[in-house]
Amino acid sequence: MLKIISCLFWGIFACRLATADETRKGHSVFVSDHGRDNVTFAINLPGSPSDDNHDIFYHLTGPIDNSWIAVGFGSEMKNSLMFVIYTKNGGKDITVSPRIANGNSEPTFISNVSITILPNSDPKYNGRYVANWKCTDCRQWKGGEINVNETKQNMIYAVGPPRAQLDSSRGDAALRRHDWYGKFTINLQQAQGDPDNFSKFNPTQTDGADELDDSTDDRDFASPAHAVFMAGTFVILFPLGTVWVRIFESVRLHWMTQVLGVLAVFIGAAIGINLSKQYNRAKGYSAPHQIIGFTILFLLVLQLCLGALHHRAFKATAKPTIMSKIHRILGPLIIGLGLVNGALGFKFATTPRHIIGYAIIIIIVSGIVIAATIVHDRRRRRKAVFDTPAARNFQNAYVAPDYQNAIPLAHTSDPPPPYTGR
């Protein structure tokens, strides 16, 4: 009887061990359903839960046309441990950047996580990022931890914007807002096992993971809106206000255009301040672009006040004031600062390629304004010649001949006298 019980016990124990071995394949794989631009993520937790090995092996691939690819633990960005990959050394190597997000904003690089890039990592394999790495001491972090026995670990992933330049060896390289993102769950219990089995998974097929929702397309509308409001005002609206008063001599159109421009600048500034909360490089409001921007806001308010006070004083006295002189000097200064700050803004937003187009538009608009001003000044100088006292006296003294009542000259048929010389 004891032998029978003993055989049953060891048989059940052996079956449980076999079942446990079957559930621990040494890898779990997620493949996003996003066509040819899909993201593939695989994970391996070496050994068993009782081992002291705290390493984790990762595999991540994604479309190379996008500036970065990221994956993170958790159901949302807040307190998620993320790994962001992008190229370095001119696209020849891969950077793996461990980061933690404080919310729906750019995640912050953490330096206390050890990353080892493994062989077969290639930033340009068949048009895709391929990153393999080992992470040491990253099963627990501030704000979260990994439960190695979790069969449905919540995960998030995201893909950076296309055609955006990001090539850096720095772990804290500036990121731009994602182009699309999604969520999935992954079986960490299945991922336990010998890391030698990690390379044997099928990278085109999901195994031990489930996509929770379809990937969500995302666009950064705030940055272009900020650029349109600011650049449109300093390149077009403010110069147009100058044209109204200099060429067409319309004070009303001048102040209406300038007030509209100031409103546009303040709307653009509000968008910019909101953007600053999303990016690490902007949260301190200490970048040159931001400092010059706030300076311009102050000068614009001062310029409006000077213009209004001068207009009020001129209506009462019909004489120029010191405020008008300051107003005329301050206007071009503000426009110049705004144009320079626009170029700094494109660089600050990690889109320096737009500076060339921006400069071309400035040159074209400046050329039109300058040419129109020169033509107008020449015409005004020509008219001024006929508006002097001497010119007016000449015009008043001139009497048109009366041909109708003129006395006719005498006519004769006699030839003129011959020329006799001296």
Side-chain angles (χ1 to χ4, degrees), residues 22-30 41 43-45 147-155 184-192 206-210:
E22 289 178 0
T23 58
R24 294 184 173 91
K25 294 184 177 180
H27 59 258
S28 290
V29 185
F30 165 73
F41 171 72
I43 186 172
N44 165 260
L45 286 78
N147 180 2
V148 296
N149 289 318
E150 179 63 66
T151 58
K152 289 187 176 296
Q153 170 66 49
N154 286 310
M155 304 289 291
F184 64 98
T185 62
I186 199 162
N187 190 336
L188 297 183
Q189 191 177 86
Q190 176 182 304
Q192 298 172 20
T206 294
D207 183 6
D210 294 293

Side-chain angles (χ1 to χ4, degrees), residues 382-398:
R382 289 173 183 174
K383 290 181 180 180
V385 172
F386 297 98
D387 196 32
T388 62
R392 286 194 296 270
N393 291 335
F394 176 79
Q395 293 170 4
N396 293 333
Y398 175 72

